[in-house]
């Protein structure tokens, strides 16, 4: 604005120049000596902008909070308002690799799939296809609530005390109004007519991670936000199958808990989900 009005980046008072330009404009362009016409000044400003203007980054956050902008510039991503550094990373669910730790490079290991045990099951009050469950997966806070579409395949009696595999780092999701904090994994036959639990090995403790038998890198799972953002579950779930021996497989590798295979009762050659 100063350049356009005064003809320079510093110096003359902007308000005074505006009054002078007003008089000059009323008298007609060129009528007042030593006054650069506004059109010429706008041409100067246009040339300046074309020479030095940098288009805004489309990924930049809206300028609502100075801390957010500073964080975007220093970290390359938007953090939560009022939080910086490691605290923002923790909320985002990104894995921070500590000294001496191996980064998690195996896609499956980015998921937190654990051995669990159903401790309570009841019918969903709003849907005859859903069960509401409390499952012990080793959380310090106690059993977590999960909702599963298993009512067409298992009775309440068959569900009680069943040992299962549970996906534990998906974002909570509402299922007919009930907030589900995980997903129970089952095998489904090729024709879709039969469903069986993918069961952990006998004697393996609740909370034990399920991982590929052969893998590289660390085993620290991602947080739920990162799993959703990076679509990790969508990426690995397409390669989940069970073998001719009913064992859980991912990308051709056996899935094990404490070194022992996880299996369905009888389904072979099906999918897992």
């Amino acid at each position: 604005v100063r350049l356009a009005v005064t003809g320079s980046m510093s110096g003359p008072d902007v308000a005074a120049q505006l009054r002078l330009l007003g008089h000059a404009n009323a008298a007609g362009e060129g009528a007042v000596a030593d006054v650069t016409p506004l059109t010429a000044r706008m041409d100067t400003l246009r040339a300046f902008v074309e020479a030095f203007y940098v288009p805004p980054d489309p990924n930049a956050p809206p300028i609502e909070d100075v801390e957010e902008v500073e964080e975007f510039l220093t970290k390359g991503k938007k953090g939560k308002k009022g939080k910086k550094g490691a605290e923002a990373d923790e909320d985002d669910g990104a894995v921070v690799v500590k000294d001496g730790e191996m980064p998690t490079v195996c896609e499956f290991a980015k998921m937190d799939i654990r051995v669990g045990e159903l401790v309570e099951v009841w019918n969903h009050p709003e849907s005859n296809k859903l069960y509401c469950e409390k499952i012990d997966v080793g959380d310090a806070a106690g059993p977590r609530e999960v909702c599963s579409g298993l009512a067409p395949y298992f009775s309440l009696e068959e569900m009680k005390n069943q040992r299962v595999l549970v996906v534990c780092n998906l974002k909570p999701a509402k299922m007919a109004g009930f907030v589900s904090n995980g997903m129970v994994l089952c095998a489904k036959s090729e024709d879709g007519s039969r469903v069986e639990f993918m069961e952990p090995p006998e004697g393996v403790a609740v909370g034990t991670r399920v991982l590929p038998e052969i893998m590289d890198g660390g085993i620290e799972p991602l947080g739920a936000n990162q799993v959703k953002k990076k679509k990790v579950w969508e990426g690995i779930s397409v390669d989940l199958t069970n073998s001719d021996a009913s064992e859980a497989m991912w990308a051709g590798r056996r899935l094990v808990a404490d070194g022992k295979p996880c299996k369905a009762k009888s389904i072979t050659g099906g999918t897992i989900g």
Side-chain angles (χ1 to χ4, degrees), residues 140-160:
R144 62 172 63 192
E145 293 189 336
V146 175
C147 190
S148 305
L150 299 176
Y153 305 103
F154 303 100
S155 68
L156 283 174
E157 283 302 313
E158 290 174 315
M159 295 284 290
K160 289 177 181 177

Side-chain angles (χ1 to χ4, degrees), residues 79-235:
K80 291 193 173 183
K81 187 175 287 189
K83 296 187 178 183
K84 293 184 180 180
E87 192 176 353
D89 284 339
E90 181 180 346
D91 284 342
D92 197 39
V95 173
V96 179
V97 179
K98 300 176 183 177
D99 291 342
E101 287 186 355
M102 297 181 69
T104 305
V105 295
C106 173
E107 286 299 301
F108 191 94
K110 294 175 183 178
M111 298 303 304
D112 184 8
I113 300 177
R114 301 184 221 160
V115 173
E117 183 174 342
L118 289 157
V119 295
E120 188 177 346
V121 185
W122 64 98
N123 291 308
H124 193 295
E126 304 295 332
S127 174
N128 58 11
K129 294 183 179 180
L130 300 175
Y131 281 141
C132 302
E133 307 134 9
K134 286 188 177 181
I135 308 179
D136 183 2
V137 290
D139 290 333
R144 62 172 63 192
E145 293 189 336
V146 175
C147 190
S148 305
L150 299 176
Y153 305 103
F154 303 100
S155 68
L156 283 174
E157 283 302 313
E158 290 174 315
M159 295 284 290
K160 289 177 181 177
N161 301 316
Q162 175 67 47
R163 284 167 58 84
V164 291
L165 305 184
V166 183
V167 185
C168 294
N169 59 340
L170 298 174
K171 291 202 77 171
K174 278 191 176 182
M175 299 179 69
F178 184 89
V179 179
S180 180
N181 297 284
M183 182 169 66
V184 175
L185 293 181
C186 291
K188 180 178 283 190
S189 61
E190 287 185 275
D191 62 7
S193 63
R194 292 188 299 136
V195 171
E196 294 176 354
F197 293 109
M198 289 306 306
E199 299 182 11
E202 288 187 16
V204 174
V206 161
T208 301
R209 287 279 301 282
V210 176
L211 294 164
E213 191 172 33
I214 301 172
M215 57 169 285
D216 296 320
I219 61 170
E220 186 67 26
L222 295 179
N225 288 338
Q226 286 288 304
V227 167
K228 181 177 181 179
K229 180 179 178 181
K230 298 176 181 294
K231 298 184 177 180
V232 181
W233 175 248
E234 290 84 348

